């Protein structure tokens, strides 16, 4: 093999997987992973094996995009059946765990009647003993929480379930990933590798720093039969060099969806990273990972949804990120796993939690965690935060997908923050029902009308208007809300001019313009410059 050094091609995808399913945050935390294996993966596989033709028809219907249907070419029922049987054999303990969670929930509902709970510990399913604490809420309703850190040290966190797929993308369009497992394909290299393995960092470094193929092949343990495919992922052509930003102004770059990069000559802050690829002709002009600085000082994560925590973007950037800031939680609730624990257990050792109204100060900048309401279907989820970023006297406010259910909250906040210069807001105001994302975690079936009422929705114009009135921004930008083509595989969103989120966001934009506030719905890419003062 040649000792010559090569670069990793810029459009090589490092796709993270758990049990051959696209890895998102609920597949990392042991408790949510168990519930999703049973409530999502097995049910979809069973459905496909029984009737693959129904899945093939469903994925052709745009209205069914994002539903529980496998998007596979041809009839792959035999392969899916093998994966299902393998899951049942390898994850039998996770299946028992999920069943025990439901049994514990029934136990509390039937026997916890307001009296002391200590005697009920004897009846906790054996598989959960020592991992849960029982309690009453203030309304005397019984519930339980996990000692989540212990679960990561138990049999229920199995790194051997994790793997990566390497393949080359030449366009922005991909099938919806949460309902389709990764099967064997001739142009895809599957590697059994824990997501925290340092070899992933070494591979990602090769996008900018060349290395011998022999060296990285040894680290990744590439089988001889796959070497030709592996070698096709490399090139002797270097990427365009990133030029460090040196101006005295603040530069803001929009990368699509809710991803914003803020730079000064001293610092860089990246919000909700979800980055497209470089190296092919795209339908939409956009920044890619070649437009990111070599060192990212702070990554801010607003909340625990799959379109705001994308491991496919974060893992290749792991060696470049100095600090990750995540919303604080320590409740151990099934539906609200700890992001700090999750990131720590997949190789991110630089994670810091931030609470509401808590500050992180560095250089001439301050990051402040702010309350985030709505968009979580009225579940008791604390792991969410909006962020105020202040550089010198200039203030940017990232409201993510907040739904302003009570304007008085932000009136209280504004008395502390003062007026804001630039405000960013997502307005996906229809939202999927509760069960679309959280269904596998529910231990009691929810009524259909209740499910439809409790949606994963952000602000419409009426809910967004108070933010303008309260924070008095000079500029307001609405995120594209998953419309960019490279977002469809994770968001499943496709809007037209008649779609309610487009209508509602345009109403807010027009309202702002009437008030002489610069306003726009972002799409693809955007670059802005601001004076610090």
């Amino acid at each position: 093999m040649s000792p010559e050094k090569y670069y990793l091609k810029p459009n090589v995808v490092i796709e993270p997987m758990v049990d051959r399913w696209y890895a998102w945050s609920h597949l990392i935390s042991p408790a949510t992973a168990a519930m999703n294996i049973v409530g999502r993966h097995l049910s979809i596989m069973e459905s496909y094996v029984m009737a693959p033709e129904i899945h093939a028809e469903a994925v052709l219907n745009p209205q069914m995009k994002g539903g529980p249907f496998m998007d596979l070419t041809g009839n792959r029922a035999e392969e899916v059946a093998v994966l299902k049987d393998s899951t049942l054999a390898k994850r039998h303990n996770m299946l028992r765990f999920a069943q025990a969670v439901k049994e514990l929930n029934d136990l509390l509902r039937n026997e916890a009647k307001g009296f002391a709970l200590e005697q009920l510990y004897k009846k906790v399913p054996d598989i959960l003993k020592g991992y849960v604490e029982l309690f009453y809420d203030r309304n005397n309703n019984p519930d339980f929480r996990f000692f989540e850190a212990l679960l990561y040290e138990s049999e229920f966190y199995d790194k051997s379930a994790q793997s990566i797929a390497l393949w080359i993308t030449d366009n922005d369009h991909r099938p919806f990933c949460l309902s389709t497992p990764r099967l064997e394909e001739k142009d895809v290299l599957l590697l059994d590798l824990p997501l925290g393995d340092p070899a992933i960092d070494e591979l990602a470094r090769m996008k900018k720093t060349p290395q011998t193929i022999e060296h990285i092949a040894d680290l990744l343990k590439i089988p001889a039969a796959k070497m030709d495919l592996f070698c096709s992922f490399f090139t002797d052509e270097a990427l365009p060099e990133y030029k460090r930003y040196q101006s005295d102004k603040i530069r803001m770059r929009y990368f699509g969806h809710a991803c914003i990069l803020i730079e000064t000559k001293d610092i860089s802050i990246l919000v909700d990273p979800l980055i497209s690829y470089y190296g092919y002709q795209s339908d939409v002009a956009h920044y890619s990972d070649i437009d990111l600085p070599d060192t990212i000082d702070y990554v801010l994560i607003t909340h625990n949804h799959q379109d705001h925590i994308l491991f496919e973007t974060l893992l290749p950037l792991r060696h470049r990120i100095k600090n990750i800031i995540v919303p604080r939680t320590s409740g151990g609730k099934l539906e609200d796993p700890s992001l700090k624990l999750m990131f720590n257990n997949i190789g991110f050792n630089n994670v810091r939690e931030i609470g509401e109204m808590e500050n992180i100060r560095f250089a001439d900048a301050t990051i402040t965690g702010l309350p985030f309401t709505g968009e979580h279907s009225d579940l008791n989820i604390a792991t969410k935060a909006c962020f105020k970023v202040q550089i010198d006297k200039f203030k940017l406010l990232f409201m993510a997908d907040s739904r302003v259910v009570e304007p008085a909250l932000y009136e209280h906040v504004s008395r502390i923050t003062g007026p804001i210069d630039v405000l960013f807001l997502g307005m996906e105001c229809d939202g999927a029902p509760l069960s679309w994302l959280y269904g596998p975690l529910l231990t009691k079936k929810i009524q259909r009308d209740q499910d439809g009422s409790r949606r994963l929705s952000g602000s419409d114009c009426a809910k967004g208007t108070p933010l303008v009135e309260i924070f008095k921004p000079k500029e307001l930008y609405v995120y594209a809300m998953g419309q960019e083509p490279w977002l469809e595989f994770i968001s499943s969103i496709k809007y037209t001019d008649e779609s309610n989120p487009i209508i509602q966001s345009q109403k807010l934009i027009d309202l702002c313009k009437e008030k002489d506030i610069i306003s726009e719905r972002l799409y693809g890419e955007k670059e802005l410059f601001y004076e610090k003062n």
Side-chain angles (χ1 to χ4, degrees):
M1 190 176 293
S2 171
E4 189 174 349
K5 294 184 177 182
Y6 292 88
Y7 297 91
L8 183 68
K9 289 180 179 177
N11 54 336
V12 170
V13 179
I14 303 177
E15 179 181 326
M17 298 179 295
V18 175
D19 285 329
R20 293 291 188 258
W21 290 78
Y22 194 83
W24 60 295
S25 55
H26 280 198
L27 295 188
I28 304 301
S29 174
T32 54
M35 304 303 285
N36 273 275
I37 289 171
V38 174
R40 193 183 303 273
H41 297 171
L42 286 174
S43 62
I44 292 175
M45 288 190 285
E46 288 169 2
S47 170
Y48 183 86
V49 170
M50 290 178 62
E53 67 281 359
I54 292 178
H55 288 246
E57 292 175 8
V59 297
L60 296 177
N61 184 347
Q63 294 183 341
M64 305 296 280
K65 193 173 181 66
F69 304 104
M70 288 195 188
D71 193 345
L72 296 170
T73 303
N75 188 330
R76 310 288 293 271
E78 289 187 10
E79 294 168 83
V80 173
V82 170
L83 180 60
K84 183 183 89 131
D85 291 342
S86 173
T87 301
L88 290 170
K90 292 181 179 179
R91 307 298 162 217
H92 60 89
N93 61 334
M94 302 295 270
L95 274 59
R96 289 169 47 234
F97 184 99
Q99 180 59 34
V101 168
K102 294 181 179 180
E103 291 173 3
L104 177 57
N105 192 70
D106 291 340
L107 171 69
L108 293 176
R109 187 169 62 246
N110 295 330
E111 299 192 31
K113 301 298 184 182
F115 298 96
L117 292 169
E118 189 167 340
Q119 292 303 313
L120 287 187
Y121 279 90
K122 298 175 183 177
K123 297 184 179 183
V124 170
D126 288 345
I127 198 170
L128 296 182
K129 282 183 175 173
Y131 292 118
V132 295
E133 181 180 22
L134 312 181
F135 63 88
Y136 289 110
D137 66 16
R138 292 192 313 279
N139 293 313
N140 221 19
N141 296 312
D143 206 346
F144 66 92
R145 75 176 188 94
F146 290 108
F147 296 104
E148 193 179 357
L150 293 179
L151 290 178
Y152 276 103
E153 301 297 330
S154 74
E155 62 179 297
F156 307 114
Y157 183 63
D158 184 0
K159 292 182 181 180
S160 71
Q162 300 173 5
S163 59
I164 61 171
L166 302 179
W167 52 282
I168 294 175
T169 182
D170 60 3
N171 63 75
D172 290 325
H173 303 284
R174 292 159 62 178
F176 181 64
C177 66
L178 298 189
S179 55
T180 304
R182 170 63 70 181
L183 303 180
E184 293 279 352
E185 304 285 352
K186 61 181 179 61
D187 55 352
V188 177
L189 179 56
L190 304 177
L191 298 175
D192 291 326
L193 200 69
L195 300 184
D197 196 310
I200 295 174
D201 301 314
E202 288 300 305
L203 178 65
R205 283 190 179 95
M206 290 181 68
K207 283 194 174 183
K208 296 205 168 190
T209 304
Q211 183 53 270
T212 64
I213 293 179
E214 183 178 26
H215 171 75
I216 192 64
D218 286 344
L219 285 180
L220 294 172
K221 300 180 175 59
I222 305 299
K226 297 291 185 179
M227 277 305 300
D228 287 346
L229 175 59
F230 186 64
C231 290
S232 71
F233 299 147
F234 298 91
T235 178
D236 57 6
E237 184 177 342
L239 286 174
E241 185 177 353
Y242 176 82
K243 294 182 180 180
R244 183 174 175 179
Y245 182 62
Q246 297 286 2
S247 170
D248 289 330
K249 293 184 177 181
I250 300 166
R251 181 170 73 179
M252 185 285 289
R253 282 182 165 181
Y254 175 69
F255 280 71
H257 196 45
C259 182
I260 308 280
L261 174 67
I262 308 108
E263 290 177 284
T264 70
K265 63 182 179 180
D266 301 311
I267 59 170
S268 57
I269 302 170
L270 186 63
V271 183
D272 286 345
L274 201 165
I275 312 292
S276 186
Y277 294 92
Y278 174 83
Y280 57 83
Q281 183 63 38
S282 176
D283 298 338
V284 179
H286 65 275
Y287 296 116
S288 68
D289 57 351
I290 70 163
D291 300 299
L292 292 175
D294 296 333
T295 298
I296 302 168
D297 293 301
Y298 286 87
V299 164
L300 309 183
I301 302 294
T302 58
H303 60 297
N304 189 8
H305 286 167
Q306 77 281 0
D307 55 332
H308 294 261
I309 299 175
L310 195 75
F311 298 135
E312 183 180 315
T313 290
L314 286 164
L315 287 175
L317 293 178
R318 183 168 56 195
H319 67 284
R320 295 160 66 177
I321 298 170
K322 293 176 68 175
N323 302 279
I324 294 185
I325 309 302
V326 301
R328 175 176 290 115
T329 188
S330 59
K333 303 281 285 184
L334 172 63
E335 67 274 19
D336 195 20
S338 165
L339 292 185
K340 186 174 189 296
L341 281 172
M342 180 198 71
F343 276 116
N344 285 164
N345 278 278
I346 56 170
F348 292 85
N349 301 313
N350 49 357
V351 185
R352 179 171 174 179
E353 292 183 318
I354 191 169
E356 294 166 352
M357 307 314 300
E358 184 175 328
N359 297 311
I360 295 174
R361 294 183 173 88
F362 56 99
D364 60 348
T366 302
I367 296 169
T368 305
L370 301 181
F372 179 149
T373 59
E375 219 247 341
H376 288 73
S377 302
D378 296 318
L379 292 171
N380 183 20
I381 290 177
T383 312
K384 53 186 180 179
C386 302
F387 289 102
K388 185 198 78 170
V389 175
Q390 181 167 342
I391 301 173
D392 199 343
K393 296 180 180 179
F394 194 83
K395 302 173 187 176
L396 303 104
L397 183 57
F398 300 93
M399 294 299 294
D401 299 321
S402 286
R403 184 171 178 84
V404 185
V405 294
E406 176 47 79
L409 167 66
Y410 293 108
E411 291 174 359
H412 296 317
V413 170
S414 71
R415 286 197 287 271
I416 300 170
T417 64
I420 296 296
D421 293 290
V422 183
L423 190 153
F424 298 91
L425 178 67
M427 294 185 67
E428 211 296 271
C429 53
D430 288 347
L434 161 68
S435 60
W436 184 79
L437 189 67
Y438 294 105
L441 308 184
L442 302 179
T443 51
K444 181 181 178 182
K445 188 173 179 61
I446 189 170
Q447 296 177 19
R448 185 171 185 145
D449 55 347
Q450 293 175 343
D451 190 27
S453 168
R454 295 169 57 184
R455 307 190 76 87
L456 294 154
S457 53
S459 291
D460 56 12
C461 181
K463 298 294 184 183
T465 299
L467 293 175
V468 177
E469 296 171 343
I470 292 168
F471 289 108
K472 299 177 174 54
K474 299 179 180 69
E475 301 180 20
L476 178 140
Y477 297 98
V478 178
Y479 298 135
M481 300 172 289
Q483 289 190 94
E484 288 101 352
W486 60 91
L487 263 295
E488 289 180 28
F489 85 104
I490 196 72
S491 71
S492 77
I493 290 173
K494 194 76 173 177
Y495 291 141
T496 67
D497 290 343
E498 288 72 41
S499 298
N500 192 41
I502 300 301
I503 294 171
Q504 292 295 324
S505 57
Q506 190 60 50
K507 285 175 65 176
L508 183 63
I509 290 167
D510 292 343
L511 182 148
C512 287
K513 289 180 178 179
E514 290 174 5
K515 297 175 178 289
D516 293 325
I517 299 170
I518 296 170
S519 188
E520 178 185 344
R521 186 171 54 248
L522 301 171
Y523 183 71
E525 68 178 24
K526 182 81 173 180
E527 184 175 60
L528 297 166
F529 295 89
Y530 301 103
E531 297 286 350
K532 291 184 180 182
N533 295 320

